[in-house]
Amino acid sequence: EPTTAVHLVQTHVSFLFLTDRFVYKIKKPVDFGFLNFTTLDRRRFYCEEEVRLNRRLCPDMYLGVIEIRESPDGVGMDGRGEVIDYAVKMKRLPEERMLDRLLAGGAASEDDIRAIARTIGEFHRGAERSREIDSYGSLEVIRRNWTENFVQAVDFVSRTLGEADLLLIRAWVERFMEERSGLFAERVAGGFVRDCDGDIHSENICLADRVYIFDCIEFNARFRFSDTAADLAFLLMDLEYRGRRDFAEILLDEYRVVTGDEGIAGVLDFYRVYRAF
């Protein structure tokens, strides 16, 4: 389709080509340990996963995976030539309706927050469960995620994180896991460990003709298979960080109405700290 201009945005893992109506996302050939896009096969696989998983919350936004080909005429998305990469094609959403923008401008309403809570709650109620997914709710896996975070943070002590803060957080987390270990088993038994989104924060939410929650974690099951409380805690923490504790409370109240999850309060502080860290 003819476009007026193509605008390039880069993240640490993607090239995003924005046209007036569409976004084409190409994965960079990078390996960060928790994410590995270094081969063409891997990039194709994760493009397909990105479309499959994001269609759960945004069925009409994720249009498919397209081939990037190189021919004598140059690189393009159609025609002949060797496939050199893959891109996820998406419908472009209005940037001025992104939740982070609405919050910054004081334009988000209580009704908006309730609509987001219902969207997340209904998604969690229908999200996939299995024996394998349950295993990610075990204290062993949760402890491993925390240990990985603490190990990776060591290099940043005194640069972005004070040593006293790191020790304080670590002690609090270890004490919580030790004293309330039963809570985690209860959450698994209650069916609250599911194939979640993994990245629900205000920059990944758009309030357009409906609520769009996009850009889930497609590249690492360990970051997506989690307690639904950990999924919700990301947005709760983000709202508090942006000075809207009132919205966080509304979000949680409405979410509990939709899901009937009464035990969530017991683990929310733990997962809020995890997301903040």
Side-chain angles (χ1 to χ4, degrees):
E1 71 290 340
T3 50
T4 43
V6 178
H7 182 54
L8 170 66
V9 175
Q10 290 195 54
T11 71
H12 60 303
V13 294
S14 307
F15 295 108
L16 295 154
F17 295 93
L18 283 66
T19 71
D20 44 6
R21 289 173 55 215
F22 301 106
V23 177
Y24 299 90
K25 182 175 172 185
I26 297 174
K27 298 183 187 302
K28 293 182 178 179
V30 291
D31 180 358
F32 292 129
F34 61 84
L35 160 162
N36 184 345
F37 297 153
T38 51
T39 69
L40 188 60
D41 274 349
R42 280 176 178 273
R43 293 195 296 281
R44 182 187 61 198
F45 173 77
Y46 286 115
C47 281
E48 286 166 356
E49 282 290 273
E50 183 169 357
V51 170
R52 177 181 74 86
L53 291 161
N54 278 295
R55 277 182 175 164
R56 297 176 304 171
L57 276 157
C58 297
D60 57 337
M61 176 183 164
Y62 284 78
L63 303 173
V65 179
I66 57 168
E67 295 170 336
I68 311 289
R69 293 176 178 270
E70 187 170 34
S71 70
D73 307 326
V75 174
M77 295 182 192
D78 45 21
R80 288 186 297 276
E82 188 190 355
V83 174
I84 56 164
D85 230 317
Y86 296 89
V88 172
K89 183 179 181 180
M90 295 170 271
K91 183 170 85 173
R92 187 172 177 183
L93 298 174
E95 268 155 52
E96 69 280 2
R97 297 298 301 163
M98 297 295 174
L99 181 59
D100 60 318
R101 292 266 193 103
L102 296 174
L103 290 168
S109 70
E110 291 189 9
D111 284 347
D112 290 333
I113 301 299
R114 286 199 176 89
I116 292 164
R118 286 194 295 274
T119 303
I120 297 170
E122 281 156 18
F123 165 63
H124 282 166
R125 281 175 55 183
E128 191 187 341
R129 288 186 62 203
S130 72
R131 259 223 179 96
E132 190 209 346
I133 293 168
D134 276 351
S135 71
Y136 287 82
S138 71
L139 200 51
E140 186 189 352
V141 173
I142 291 163
R143 184 173 273 124
R144 193 169 99 221
N145 288 341
W146 267 115
T147 302
E148 181 180 67
N149 279 352
F150 289 139
V151 167
Q152 290 176 347
V154 168
D155 291 347
F156 298 93
V157 167
S158 83
R159 277 197 285 162
T160 51
L161 184 68
E163 188 166 18
D165 289 338
L166 180 61
L167 292 172
L168 181 79
I169 295 164
R170 190 162 195 161
W172 185 87
V173 166
E174 284 170 0
R175 192 167 69 246
F176 191 103
M177 289 191 295
E178 200 171 304
E179 290 175 2
R180 308 197 199 173
S181 59
L183 277 179
F184 298 99
E186 277 171 30
R187 297 293 293 170
V188 176
F192 295 107
V193 175
R194 295 183 177 241
D195 187 348
C196 292
D197 177 287
D199 210 13
I200 303 180
H201 56 82
S202 59
E203 289 170 47
N204 287 347
I205 299 174
C206 186
L207 297 163
D209 51 322
R210 60 179 189 78
V211 175
Y212 291 88
I213 300 176
F214 56 92
D215 208 17
C216 76
I217 300 282
E218 88 286 349
F219 52 78
N220 188 332
R222 182 160 58 96
F223 292 174
R224 204 177 65 249
F225 295 167
S226 75
D227 192 327
T228 48
D231 221 23
L232 187 70
F234 204 159
L235 184 55
L236 291 171
M237 179 275 299
D238 189 33
L239 289 169
E240 289 179 20
Y241 170 74
R242 292 170 192 272
R244 296 309 303 253
R245 179 163 287 188
D246 56 330
F247 278 174
E249 285 170 8
I250 290 164
L251 182 83
L252 179 57
D253 286 346
E254 188 74 20
Y255 176 86
R256 285 166 94 162
V257 169
V258 172
T259 60
D261 183 356
E262 288 310 316
I264 194 170
V267 290
L268 266 182
D269 281 352
F270 180 81
Y271 286 122
R272 271 196 187 97
V273 171
Y274 179 72
R275 291 304 193 179
F277 192 86

